Amino acid sequence: MNILSMKPKTFSLRYQPGFTIIALACFFMLYAPIVTLVIYSFNAGKYISIWEGFSLQWYVSAWNNEIVQDATIRSLVLALQASLYSTVLATMAALGTTRIRPFRGLTAIYAMINQPLMVPEIVTAVALLILFAMIKVATGVQGLFYLVAAHTAFCIPFAYLPIRARLEGMDLTLETAAADLYATPWMTFRRVTLPLMWPGIIAGAMLAFVISLDDIVITEFVKSAGQETLPTYMLGQLRRIITPEINAISTVLLAISLLVVSFFFVVSHKRD
Amino acid sequence: MNMRKLAAGLAGIMMLLASGAAHAGGELQLYNWGNYTNPDLLAKFEKETGIKVTVTDYDSNSTALAKIKAGGHGFDMVVPSASHVKIFIEEGLVIESRPDQMSNFKNVAPEWRNPFFDPGRRYSVPWQWGTVGMVVDTDVYKGDINTSAIVFDPPAELVGKINIAPEMLDIMNTAMMYVGSEPCSTDKAALKKARDVLVAAKPKWLSMDYGLVEKMPRGDYAAAIYWNGAAMRARLAKSSIRYGYPREGYTVWMDNAMVLKDAKNVENAKLFQNFVMDPENAALISSFAKYANGISGSEKFMPEEMATAPEVIVPDEFKSMGVFPPACSKEANDYYTAIWTELTK
Amino acid sequence: MTSSSNNDPSVFAEQLAVRRHWLLCAPALTVLFLAASGPLLIVLVYSFLESGEYGGVVWKPSVDAWFRVVFQRDIFDDTLSLADAHLKILWRSMRLSFFTTITTLILGFPTAYFIATRPQNSRNIWLFMVTVPFWTNLLIRTFAIMEVIRNEGMINTLLIFIGVIDAPVQMMNTDFAIMVGMTYVYLPLMVLPLYAAMERLDFSLVEAAYDLYATRLKVLWRVIIPLVRPGVVAGSILVFIPALGAFVTPRVLGGGKKMMLGNLIELQFGAGRNWPLGAALSITLLAVVMVALLVYVRTVQKNAELQR
């Protein structure tokens, strides 16, 4: 409650009226559906919306469901890889498209980087299905590689935009100063540019991760035999019936993500 | 030239690696509808044969067809609906595995031994079959429910409380029969009538969505056109829910398991085809997804509630009104799509 | 590569810099070409082919698909007219996406600002809190929203309990539901880029403005917003475009009675069995997005120059 009553006693530069309330309302809005989702994961009944008492049966059934476990792990592995690769590529591209006077071809680069955003997923999905099928038939090579490539590609713009937003108009004087002090370009990058970019990179990587974790349509078309991910598994369920088992898995994923948050929290506090 | 050699060499190495990773005891890659394969069935199959079955899901016939057609998918078996079985056969995507010569073929019910989509059952074995009909909450509406007018010209009690299954083919076919024509017809007068009926009825619908099993018992809507197995589940949750067979004609569907042309485990797939024609195993399929399976003698292995369900066992008086829609021609399908687009614009 | 430029060291240095920048972009561009843009060429080619009997294409050139994007031949009296269904769906999609972008901006801006003005070490935690709900996936999240807005859902129950309303307000299966859903789904795509831009906000400029007796509103409008403009641009793009092609939300929350562009395209590739038309519709969407983007970026740039 004391955040709400945080009226500026002394004059605050940062204060804007109503912003804190809207922000907290936003967080409330983000979490309200999640709370219902978590509640229904403990439902004794068969449905995700008719409450029939408390039970842990869906956790047990998810725990025993090999398909679900496989799919969940595959989703996480895929998202980790895709977000890692796409963030590295996007960071390089962001460095390559900022801090310089507009040069010829820059617009084309922008267009290309943002292109996955501009096409509905189903289109990319069908196109990738055709292309990858040709490669698979020609080489006989199967594997998660195709999904990783597809996810990396469509995650690049999501990682790129926050990083670029960060870099744009970044104070160049520090870099120049470092160069003047005979720092090698690599040293300048490591010690000056990268730390300044860091918040953008974190934001980009997080976006890429959740975007990959969320993808349904492209995965559905690109996946080969035995490459079910959690979203495609759920898509299959949608037609028949969705049980609270899905809620249970989601709750576990949420718990994991909260653990990660706490971990970061502890680490960042230790450093201070 | 060198590049090509290099590529071929690389591919060879990759293939070796890939095959080395495969299961030694034999495996089977099944491509099936989501939430449609009983894990107990697969466990039983593995116990009897040592073959490990991996299931991957699809959510529509067209997705399955597109992926299989593209190739390089790694699947051994697919389970398309009757309307698509013919397409798979015509496009040369499946092999003639001759289920009709398998030892368990004797169990296939007589009426499913020679279906029009696979005469003589040279390619496919029955998985499950069902109907598309009217699901009505008789607490809300007490009149006749054996008519498609329930959704196409709804009584006042049901206006604004109707759900339509979001499945273009099923709905269009039912509408065509409602106006006195037949599925996949290209008769323009009938198509126009069907369109007018649908456009006039749409404002009286609440939604076009899945999820009836959950939404109808909790009272989101009071009538729907939907699949029979879901109707039974809904009745078990709320006893006033009934399933009606439209006398104007209703559609019948059947999903069938077939072996793919580019399958790597053809023999295992054939074993599986034979396996699911065993009454006890077929009953496992049905007790999971709640539809009938076309195998005689499987009823006695099914749960009590299913073996007698009026949604699953079509009453004799309605048997003649069921129609098995063929694969629509391109022309008919184009008309359907145009009407469907106009309806949901 | 004229000889004169080689002689001028500053031009030469700039050429080197441009080359270095291209090299930095090259890996990303390669991946994008292989797994995004390149395959799109297939779609372009497909849009000029004949449709196959059961989906797919026949390798015969045809402009039939493009014709059908714009015109429809009435199946009953053969008259030709504008494809009113397609235009309606396009217009609906643009409208809904536009309002979704505005709502996410109104909600996301204060949220990002709030996060950016937290003490340094807790900012990443708040940021992470924005993405936590997204560890569940899109489908389950959409279902969870349904639980909140349906007739017996959280909001209606609460409002009836307080006594604001007597009967539940129908929110499910409406455009409103689609907007709520999309706003929810796309909010982080707005907050994260905004945050990235605000985090480096130089508050000495804000201080200077206050020293000149600017009001809070003026500071926000004339100082803060112009400074974080790149973030606003990035966020709006990230929300608007995916919303245009949204597919799951209109189906689940909108009740599926009205299509959006994503659904229309999916219909052509799926049950409609008309891949060339699906391809042509996709290219149309792409063109619309490009034009909108260009206009948007130009306007923003012009405004930025005016304010300078």
PDB file of all heavy atoms in Angstrom, chain A residues 12 14-15 30-31 96 101 115 117 123 165-166 214 261 272, chain C residues 14 21 37 113 121 128-129 138 141 184 199-200 216 241 282:
ATOM      1  N   SER A  12       9.583  15.533  -6.723  1.00  0.00           N
ATOM      2  CA  SER A  12      10.261  14.445  -7.415  1.00  0.00           C
ATOM      3  C   SER A  12      10.255  14.693  -8.910  1.00  0.00           C
ATOM      4  O   SER A  12       9.228  14.993  -9.499  1.00  0.00           O
ATOM      5  CB  SER A  12       9.576  13.116  -7.120  1.00  0.00           C
ATOM      6  OG  SER A  12       9.956  12.180  -8.091  1.00  0.00           O
ATOM      7  N   ARG A  14      10.722  12.449 -11.064  1.00  0.00           N
ATOM      8  CA  ARG A  14      10.220  11.286 -11.779  1.00  0.00           C
ATOM      9  C   ARG A  14       8.708  11.125 -11.692  1.00  0.00           C
ATOM     10  O   ARG A  14       8.119  10.390 -12.451  1.00  0.00           O
ATOM     11  CB  ARG A  14      10.884  10.026 -11.220  1.00  0.00           C
ATOM     12  CG  ARG A  14      12.302   9.959 -11.671  1.00  0.00           C
ATOM     13  CD  ARG A  14      13.197   9.210 -10.739  1.00  0.00           C
ATOM     14  NE  ARG A  14      14.571   9.490 -11.138  1.00  0.00           N
ATOM     15  CZ  ARG A  14      15.341   8.605 -11.744  1.00  0.00           C
ATOM     16  NH1 ARG A  14      14.921   7.403 -11.943  1.00  0.00           N
ATOM     17  NH2 ARG A  14      16.555   8.934 -12.118  1.00  0.00           N
ATOM     18  N   TYR A  15       8.115  11.804 -10.739  1.00  0.00           N
ATOM     19  CA  TYR A  15       6.697  11.585 -10.489  1.00  0.00           C
ATOM     20  C   TYR A  15       5.841  12.060 -11.662  1.00  0.00           C
ATOM     21  O   TYR A  15       6.058  13.145 -12.206  1.00  0.00           O
ATOM     22  CB  TYR A  15       6.293  12.313  -9.196  1.00  0.00           C
ATOM     23  CG  TYR A  15       4.825  12.242  -8.915  1.00  0.00           C
ATOM     24  CD1 TYR A  15       4.255  11.071  -8.397  1.00  0.00           C
ATOM     25  CD2 TYR A  15       3.998  13.322  -9.186  1.00  0.00           C
ATOM     26  CE1 TYR A  15       2.907  11.001  -8.153  1.00  0.00           C
ATOM     27  CE2 TYR A  15       2.639  13.251  -8.945  1.00  0.00           C
ATOM     28  CZ  TYR A  15       2.102  12.089  -8.433  1.00  0.00           C
ATOM     29  OH  TYR A  15       0.762  12.004  -8.197  1.00  0.00           O
ATOM     30  N   LEU A  30      -2.715  -8.243 -15.506  1.00  0.00           N
ATOM     31  CA  LEU A  30      -1.882  -9.323 -16.028  1.00  0.00           C
ATOM     32  C   LEU A  30      -2.027 -10.586 -15.195  1.00  0.00           C
ATOM     33  O   LEU A  30      -1.970 -11.693 -15.706  1.00  0.00           O
ATOM     34  CB  LEU A  30      -0.412  -8.903 -16.050  1.00  0.00           C
ATOM     35  CG  LEU A  30       0.049  -8.050 -17.220  1.00  0.00           C
ATOM     36  CD1 LEU A  30       1.491  -7.613 -17.017  1.00  0.00           C
ATOM     37  CD2 LEU A  30      -0.061  -8.818 -18.525  1.00  0.00           C
ATOM     38  N   TYR A  31      -2.218 -10.401 -13.891  1.00  0.00           N
ATOM     39  CA  TYR A  31      -2.185 -11.567 -13.023  1.00  0.00           C
ATOM     40  C   TYR A  31      -3.558 -12.150 -12.681  1.00  0.00           C
ATOM     41  O   TYR A  31      -3.630 -13.283 -12.226  1.00  0.00           O
ATOM     42  CB  TYR A  31      -1.361 -11.260 -11.760  1.00  0.00           C
ATOM     43  CG  TYR A  31       0.112 -11.346 -12.061  1.00  0.00           C
ATOM     44  CD1 TYR A  31       0.806 -10.260 -12.568  1.00  0.00           C
ATOM     45  CD2 TYR A  31       0.791 -12.548 -11.898  1.00  0.00           C
ATOM     46  CE1 TYR A  31       2.140 -10.363 -12.901  1.00  0.00           C
ATOM     47  CE2 TYR A  31       2.127 -12.661 -12.221  1.00  0.00           C
ATOM     48  CZ  TYR A  31       2.799 -11.555 -12.717  1.00  0.00           C
ATOM     49  OH  TYR A  31       4.120 -11.677 -13.051  1.00  0.00           O
ATOM     50  N   GLY A  96      24.979  -2.860 -35.922  1.00  0.00           N
ATOM     51  CA  GLY A  96      25.250  -2.587 -37.321  1.00  0.00           C
ATOM     52  C   GLY A  96      24.320  -1.564 -37.935  1.00  0.00           C
ATOM     53  O   GLY A  96      24.599  -1.032 -39.005  1.00  0.00           O
ATOM     54  N   ARG A 101      25.852   7.315 -39.785  1.00  0.00           N
ATOM     55  CA  ARG A 101      24.946   8.064 -40.642  1.00  0.00           C
ATOM     56  C   ARG A 101      24.238   7.099 -41.561  1.00  0.00           C
ATOM     57  O   ARG A 101      24.842   6.112 -41.994  1.00  0.00           O
ATOM     58  CB  ARG A 101      25.754   9.072 -41.464  1.00  0.00           C
ATOM     59  CG  ARG A 101      25.926  10.378 -40.725  1.00  0.00           C
ATOM     60  CD  ARG A 101      26.219  11.441 -41.699  1.00  0.00           C
ATOM     61  NE  ARG A 101      27.308  10.988 -42.590  1.00  0.00           N
ATOM     62  CZ  ARG A 101      27.890  11.758 -43.485  1.00  0.00           C
ATOM     63  NH1 ARG A 101      27.492  12.996 -43.622  1.00  0.00           N
ATOM     64  NH2 ARG A 101      28.862  11.307 -44.244  1.00  0.00           N
ATOM     65  N   GLN A 115      10.749  -8.191 -41.275  1.00  0.00           N
ATOM     66  CA  GLN A 115       9.843  -8.918 -42.163  1.00  0.00           C
ATOM     67  C   GLN A 115       9.034 -10.017 -41.458  1.00  0.00           C
ATOM     68  O   GLN A 115       7.830 -10.132 -41.705  1.00  0.00           O
ATOM     69  CB  GLN A 115      10.657  -9.449 -43.340  1.00  0.00           C
ATOM     70  CG  GLN A 115       9.870 -10.239 -44.353  1.00  0.00           C
ATOM     71  CD  GLN A 115       9.935 -11.708 -44.040  1.00  0.00           C
ATOM     72  OE1 GLN A 115      10.948 -12.194 -43.555  1.00  0.00           O
ATOM     73  NE2 GLN A 115       8.839 -12.412 -44.271  1.00  0.00           N
ATOM     74  N   LEU A 117       7.702 -10.033 -38.776  1.00  0.00           N
ATOM     75  CA  LEU A 117       6.578  -9.426 -38.064  1.00  0.00           C
ATOM     76  C   LEU A 117       5.428  -9.114 -38.988  1.00  0.00           C
ATOM     77  O   LEU A 117       4.292  -8.980 -38.558  1.00  0.00           O
ATOM     78  CB  LEU A 117       7.019  -8.090 -37.461  1.00  0.00           C
ATOM     79  CG  LEU A 117       7.921  -8.121 -36.269  1.00  0.00           C
ATOM     80  CD1 LEU A 117       8.306  -6.709 -35.926  1.00  0.00           C
ATOM     81  CD2 LEU A 117       7.172  -8.744 -35.123  1.00  0.00           C
ATOM     82  N   VAL A 123       1.339 -17.892 -43.019  1.00  0.00           N
ATOM     83  CA  VAL A 123       2.025 -17.787 -44.306  1.00  0.00           C
ATOM     84  C   VAL A 123       3.455 -18.282 -44.188  1.00  0.00           C
ATOM     85  O   VAL A 123       3.914 -19.130 -44.959  1.00  0.00           O
ATOM     86  CB  VAL A 123       2.011 -16.330 -44.795  1.00  0.00           C
ATOM     87  CG1 VAL A 123       2.723 -16.230 -46.123  1.00  0.00           C
ATOM     88  CG2 VAL A 123       0.602 -15.833 -44.902  1.00  0.00           C
ATOM     89  N   ALA A 165      16.160   0.264 -29.812  1.00  0.00           N
ATOM     90  CA  ALA A 165      15.566   1.404 -29.122  1.00  0.00           C
ATOM     91  C   ALA A 165      16.535   1.916 -28.061  1.00  0.00           C
ATOM     92  O   ALA A 165      16.641   3.122 -27.800  1.00  0.00           O
ATOM     93  CB  ALA A 165      14.239   1.001 -28.491  1.00  0.00           C
ATOM     94  N   ARG A 166      17.266   0.999 -27.467  1.00  0.00           N
ATOM     95  CA  ARG A 166      18.235   1.348 -26.439  1.00  0.00           C
ATOM     96  C   ARG A 166      19.442   2.064 -27.052  1.00  0.00           C
ATOM     97  O   ARG A 166      19.947   3.055 -26.533  1.00  0.00           O
ATOM     98  CB  ARG A 166      18.681   0.056 -25.739  1.00  0.00           C
ATOM     99  CG  ARG A 166      19.787   0.214 -24.748  1.00  0.00           C
ATOM    100  CD  ARG A 166      19.263   0.622 -23.414  1.00  0.00           C
ATOM    101  NE  ARG A 166      20.339   1.013 -22.537  1.00  0.00           N
ATOM    102  CZ  ARG A 166      20.165   1.600 -21.372  1.00  0.00           C
ATOM    103  NH1 ARG A 166      18.950   1.864 -20.960  1.00  0.00           N
ATOM    104  NH2 ARG A 166      21.179   1.934 -20.627  1.00  0.00           N
ATOM    105  N   ASP A 214       5.699 -19.437 -26.979  1.00  0.00           N
ATOM    106  CA  ASP A 214       4.292 -19.237 -27.266  1.00  0.00           C
ATOM    107  C   ASP A 214       3.871 -19.717 -28.642  1.00  0.00           C
ATOM    108  O   ASP A 214       2.687 -19.824 -28.918  1.00  0.00           O
ATOM    109  CB  ASP A 214       4.006 -17.729 -27.197  1.00  0.00           C
ATOM    110  CG  ASP A 214       2.858 -17.441 -26.276  1.00  0.00           C
ATOM    111  OD1 ASP A 214       2.531 -18.329 -25.485  1.00  0.00           O
ATOM    112  OD2 ASP A 214       2.307 -16.343 -26.346  1.00  0.00           O
ATOM    113  N   VAL A 261      13.071 -15.622 -11.185  1.00  0.00           N
ATOM    114  CA  VAL A 261      13.018 -14.228 -10.731  1.00  0.00           C
ATOM    115  C   VAL A 261      13.705 -14.081  -9.379  1.00  0.00           C
ATOM    116  O   VAL A 261      14.552 -13.207  -9.176  1.00  0.00           O
ATOM    117  CB  VAL A 261      11.561 -13.735 -10.587  1.00  0.00           C
ATOM    118  CG1 VAL A 261      11.545 -12.287 -10.162  1.00  0.00           C
ATOM    119  CG2 VAL A 261      10.809 -13.907 -11.875  1.00  0.00           C
ATOM    120  N   ASP A 272      25.276  -5.841  -4.727  1.00  0.00           N
ATOM    121  CA  ASP A 272      25.309  -4.458  -4.222  1.00  0.00           C
ATOM    122  C   ASP A 272      26.123  -4.314  -2.951  1.00  0.00           C
ATOM    123  O   ASP A 272      25.855  -4.889  -1.953  1.00  0.00           O
ATOM    124  CB  ASP A 272      23.877  -3.973  -3.967  1.00  0.00           C
ATOM    125  CG  ASP A 272      23.174  -3.796  -5.289  1.00  0.00           C
ATOM    126  OD1 ASP A 272      23.883  -3.601  -6.302  1.00  0.00           O
ATOM    127  OD2 ASP A 272      21.941  -3.877  -5.323  1.00  0.00           O
TER     128      ASP A 272
ATOM    129  N   GLU C  14      34.740   6.277 -43.819  1.00  0.00           N
ATOM    130  CA  GLU C  14      33.306   6.058 -43.752  1.00  0.00           C
ATOM    131  C   GLU C  14      32.911   4.789 -44.499  1.00  0.00           C
ATOM    132  O   GLU C  14      32.070   4.012 -44.047  1.00  0.00           O
ATOM    133  CB  GLU C  14      32.565   7.260 -44.328  1.00  0.00           C
ATOM    134  CG  GLU C  14      31.076   7.153 -44.078  1.00  0.00           C
ATOM    135  CD  GLU C  14      30.366   8.464 -44.274  1.00  0.00           C
ATOM    136  OE1 GLU C  14      30.996   9.513 -44.039  1.00  0.00           O
ATOM    137  OE2 GLU C  14      29.201   8.437 -44.667  1.00  0.00           O
ATOM    138  N   HIS C  21      29.530  -2.220 -40.589  1.00  0.00           N
ATOM    139  CA  HIS C  21      28.132  -2.305 -40.183  1.00  0.00           C
ATOM    140  C   HIS C  21      27.381  -3.370 -40.968  1.00  0.00           C
ATOM    141  O   HIS C  21      26.563  -4.093 -40.422  1.00  0.00           O
ATOM    142  CB  HIS C  21      27.452  -0.938 -40.315  1.00  0.00           C
ATOM    143  CG  HIS C  21      27.730  -0.048 -39.146  1.00  0.00           C
ATOM    144  ND1 HIS C  21      28.972   0.515 -38.935  1.00  0.00           N
ATOM    145  CD2 HIS C  21      26.953   0.347 -38.115  1.00  0.00           C
ATOM    146  CE1 HIS C  21      28.923   1.223 -37.823  1.00  0.00           C
ATOM    147  NE2 HIS C  21      27.721   1.146 -37.304  1.00  0.00           N
ATOM    148  N   SER C  37      12.476 -14.666 -45.099  1.00  0.00           N
ATOM    149  CA  SER C  37      12.224 -13.933 -46.344  1.00  0.00           C
ATOM    150  C   SER C  37      12.285 -14.841 -47.551  1.00  0.00           C
ATOM    151  O   SER C  37      11.449 -14.758 -48.445  1.00  0.00           O
ATOM    152  CB  SER C  37      13.237 -12.808 -46.508  1.00  0.00           C
ATOM    153  OG  SER C  37      13.362 -12.103 -45.328  1.00  0.00           O
ATOM    154  N   TYR C 113       7.139   3.258 -17.512  1.00  0.00           N
ATOM    155  CA  TYR C 113       7.689   4.397 -16.777  1.00  0.00           C
ATOM    156  C   TYR C 113       7.867   4.046 -15.309  1.00  0.00           C
ATOM    157  O   TYR C 113       8.893   4.343 -14.684  1.00  0.00           O
ATOM    158  CB  TYR C 113       6.750   5.587 -16.923  1.00  0.00           C
ATOM    159  CG  TYR C 113       7.327   6.877 -16.387  1.00  0.00           C
ATOM    160  CD1 TYR C 113       8.144   7.659 -17.194  1.00  0.00           C
ATOM    161  CD2 TYR C 113       7.052   7.315 -15.089  1.00  0.00           C
ATOM    162  CE1 TYR C 113       8.681   8.844 -16.716  1.00  0.00           C
ATOM    163  CE2 TYR C 113       7.590   8.487 -14.608  1.00  0.00           C
ATOM    164  CZ  TYR C 113       8.402   9.259 -15.427  1.00  0.00           C
ATOM    165  OH  TYR C 113       8.924  10.413 -14.941  1.00  0.00           O
ATOM    166  N   ASN C 121      18.273  -1.832  -8.839  1.00  0.00           N
ATOM    167  CA  ASN C 121      18.383  -3.284  -8.706  1.00  0.00           C
ATOM    168  C   ASN C 121      17.047  -4.014  -8.747  1.00  0.00           C
ATOM    169  O   ASN C 121      17.009  -5.228  -8.884  1.00  0.00           O
ATOM    170  CB  ASN C 121      19.143  -3.663  -7.434  1.00  0.00           C
ATOM    171  CG  ASN C 121      18.537  -3.008  -6.211  1.00  0.00           C
ATOM    172  OD1 ASN C 121      17.357  -2.631  -6.235  1.00  0.00           O
ATOM    173  ND2 ASN C 121      19.331  -2.852  -5.160  1.00  0.00           N
ATOM    174  N   PHE C 128      10.727  -8.614 -15.349  1.00  0.00           N
ATOM    175  CA  PHE C 128      10.463 -10.044 -15.440  1.00  0.00           C
ATOM    176  C   PHE C 128       9.010 -10.333 -15.082  1.00  0.00           C
ATOM    177  O   PHE C 128       8.371 -11.182 -15.698  1.00  0.00           O
ATOM    178  CB  PHE C 128      11.410 -10.789 -14.495  1.00  0.00           C
ATOM    179  CG  PHE C 128      11.745 -12.162 -14.982  1.00  0.00           C
ATOM    180  CD1 PHE C 128      12.903 -12.386 -15.714  1.00  0.00           C
ATOM    181  CD2 PHE C 128      10.911 -13.222 -14.722  1.00  0.00           C
ATOM    182  CE1 PHE C 128      13.214 -13.648 -16.182  1.00  0.00           C
ATOM    183  CE2 PHE C 128      11.220 -14.489 -15.179  1.00  0.00           C
ATOM    184  CZ  PHE C 128      12.371 -14.699 -15.906  1.00  0.00           C
ATOM    185  N   MET C 129       8.496  -9.578 -14.109  1.00  0.00           N
ATOM    186  CA  MET C 129       7.105  -9.770 -13.696  1.00  0.00           C
ATOM    187  C   MET C 129       6.132  -9.553 -14.859  1.00  0.00           C
ATOM    188  O   MET C 129       5.052 -10.129 -14.886  1.00  0.00           O
ATOM    189  CB  MET C 129       6.743  -8.803 -12.564  1.00  0.00           C
ATOM    190  CG  MET C 129       7.482  -9.066 -11.264  1.00  0.00           C
ATOM    191  SD  MET C 129       6.939 -10.581 -10.475  1.00  0.00           S
ATOM    192  CE  MET C 129       5.447  -9.972  -9.691  1.00  0.00           C
ATOM    193  N   LEU C 138      -0.061 -19.155 -25.057  1.00  0.00           N
ATOM    194  CA  LEU C 138      -1.111 -18.315 -25.606  1.00  0.00           C
ATOM    195  C   LEU C 138      -2.505 -18.909 -25.424  1.00  0.00           C
ATOM    196  O   LEU C 138      -3.438 -18.223 -25.015  1.00  0.00           O
ATOM    197  CB  LEU C 138      -0.828 -18.083 -27.088  1.00  0.00           C
ATOM    198  CG  LEU C 138      -1.860 -17.278 -27.854  1.00  0.00           C
ATOM    199  CD1 LEU C 138      -1.929 -15.867 -27.313  1.00  0.00           C
ATOM    200  CD2 LEU C 138      -1.522 -17.242 -29.332  1.00  0.00           C
ATOM    201  N   ARG C 141      -3.632 -18.987 -21.801  1.00  0.00           N
ATOM    202  CA  ARG C 141      -3.838 -17.617 -21.340  1.00  0.00           C
ATOM    203  C   ARG C 141      -5.165 -17.082 -21.866  1.00  0.00           C
ATOM    204  O   ARG C 141      -5.918 -16.425 -21.155  1.00  0.00           O
ATOM    205  CB  ARG C 141      -2.701 -16.759 -21.873  1.00  0.00           C
ATOM    206  CG  ARG C 141      -2.078 -15.885 -20.845  1.00  0.00           C
ATOM    207  CD  ARG C 141      -0.665 -15.517 -21.211  1.00  0.00           C
ATOM    208  NE  ARG C 141      -0.504 -15.024 -22.544  1.00  0.00           N
ATOM    209  CZ  ARG C 141       0.414 -15.474 -23.397  1.00  0.00           C
ATOM    210  NH1 ARG C 141       1.232 -16.419 -23.019  1.00  0.00           N
ATOM    211  NH2 ARG C 141       0.515 -14.979 -24.598  1.00  0.00           N
ATOM    212  N   TYR C 184      -4.236  -7.914 -23.698  1.00  0.00           N
ATOM    213  CA  TYR C 184      -3.556  -8.738 -22.700  1.00  0.00           C
ATOM    214  C   TYR C 184      -2.343  -9.433 -23.305  1.00  0.00           C
ATOM    215  O   TYR C 184      -1.242  -9.392 -22.759  1.00  0.00           O
ATOM    216  CB  TYR C 184      -4.541  -9.777 -22.169  1.00  0.00           C
ATOM    217  CG  TYR C 184      -3.994 -10.595 -21.024  1.00  0.00           C
ATOM    218  CD1 TYR C 184      -4.160 -10.165 -19.718  1.00  0.00           C
ATOM    219  CD2 TYR C 184      -3.306 -11.765 -21.249  1.00  0.00           C
ATOM    220  CE1 TYR C 184      -3.656 -10.896 -18.667  1.00  0.00           C
ATOM    221  CE2 TYR C 184      -2.793 -12.500 -20.206  1.00  0.00           C
ATOM    222  CZ  TYR C 184      -2.976 -12.072 -18.918  1.00  0.00           C
ATOM    223  OH  TYR C 184      -2.471 -12.780 -17.880  1.00  0.00           O
ATOM    224  N   GLU C 199      14.651   3.633 -19.834  1.00  0.00           N
ATOM    225  CA  GLU C 199      15.644   3.327 -18.826  1.00  0.00           C
ATOM    226  C   GLU C 199      16.824   4.279 -18.921  1.00  0.00           C
ATOM    227  O   GLU C 199      17.474   4.585 -17.936  1.00  0.00           O
ATOM    228  CB  GLU C 199      16.085   1.873 -19.003  1.00  0.00           C
ATOM    229  CG  GLU C 199      16.483   1.184 -17.734  1.00  0.00           C
ATOM    230  CD  GLU C 199      17.977   1.227 -17.538  1.00  0.00           C
ATOM    231  OE1 GLU C 199      18.697   1.608 -18.473  1.00  0.00           O
ATOM    232  OE2 GLU C 199      18.405   0.875 -16.441  1.00  0.00           O
ATOM    233  N   ARG C 200      17.107   4.750 -20.134  1.00  0.00           N
ATOM    234  CA  ARG C 200      18.266   5.621 -20.294  1.00  0.00           C
ATOM    235  C   ARG C 200      17.846   7.090 -20.329  1.00  0.00           C
ATOM    236  O   ARG C 200      18.610   7.955 -20.724  1.00  0.00           O
ATOM    237  CB  ARG C 200      19.016   5.264 -21.570  1.00  0.00           C
ATOM    238  CG  ARG C 200      18.179   5.363 -22.821  1.00  0.00           C
ATOM    239  CD  ARG C 200      18.971   5.785 -24.016  1.00  0.00           C
ATOM    240  NE  ARG C 200      18.066   6.328 -25.003  1.00  0.00           N
ATOM    241  CZ  ARG C 200      17.662   5.663 -26.062  1.00  0.00           C
ATOM    242  NH1 ARG C 200      18.096   4.448 -26.289  1.00  0.00           N
ATOM    243  NH2 ARG C 200      16.828   6.228 -26.908  1.00  0.00           N
ATOM    244  N   ARG C 216       3.839  19.391 -14.950  1.00  0.00           N
ATOM    245  CA  ARG C 216       4.105  17.945 -15.094  1.00  0.00           C
ATOM    246  C   ARG C 216       3.656  17.448 -16.465  1.00  0.00           C
ATOM    247  O   ARG C 216       4.340  16.675 -17.109  1.00  0.00           O
ATOM    248  CB  ARG C 216       3.335  17.163 -14.027  1.00  0.00           C
ATOM    249  CG  ARG C 216       3.756  17.494 -12.628  1.00  0.00           C
ATOM    250  CD  ARG C 216       4.270  16.246 -11.936  1.00  0.00           C
ATOM    251  NE  ARG C 216       4.726  16.568 -10.597  1.00  0.00           N
ATOM    252  CZ  ARG C 216       5.944  16.292 -10.157  1.00  0.00           C
ATOM    253  NH1 ARG C 216       6.809  15.656 -10.922  1.00  0.00           N
ATOM    254  NH2 ARG C 216       6.296  16.603  -8.943  1.00  0.00           N
ATOM    255  N   ILE C 241       1.296  -5.068 -35.769  1.00  0.00           N
ATOM    256  CA  ILE C 241       1.398  -6.030 -36.857  1.00  0.00           C
ATOM    257  C   ILE C 241       0.982  -7.450 -36.457  1.00  0.00           C
ATOM    258  O   ILE C 241       0.166  -8.061 -37.137  1.00  0.00           O
ATOM    259  CB  ILE C 241       2.806  -5.987 -37.476  1.00  0.00           C
ATOM    260  CG1 ILE C 241       3.024  -4.585 -38.031  1.00  0.00           C
ATOM    261  CG2 ILE C 241       2.933  -7.009 -38.569  1.00  0.00           C
ATOM    262  CD1 ILE C 241       4.404  -4.313 -38.501  1.00  0.00           C
ATOM    263  N   SER C 282      -2.066 -12.996 -48.356  1.00  0.00           N
ATOM    264  CA  SER C 282      -0.929 -12.725 -47.484  1.00  0.00           C
ATOM    265  C   SER C 282      -0.075 -11.599 -48.020  1.00  0.00           C
ATOM    266  O   SER C 282       0.359 -10.721 -47.267  1.00  0.00           O
ATOM    267  CB  SER C 282      -0.041 -13.954 -47.353  1.00  0.00           C
ATOM    268  OG  SER C 282      -0.803 -15.100 -47.184  1.00  0.00           O
TER     269      SER C 282
END
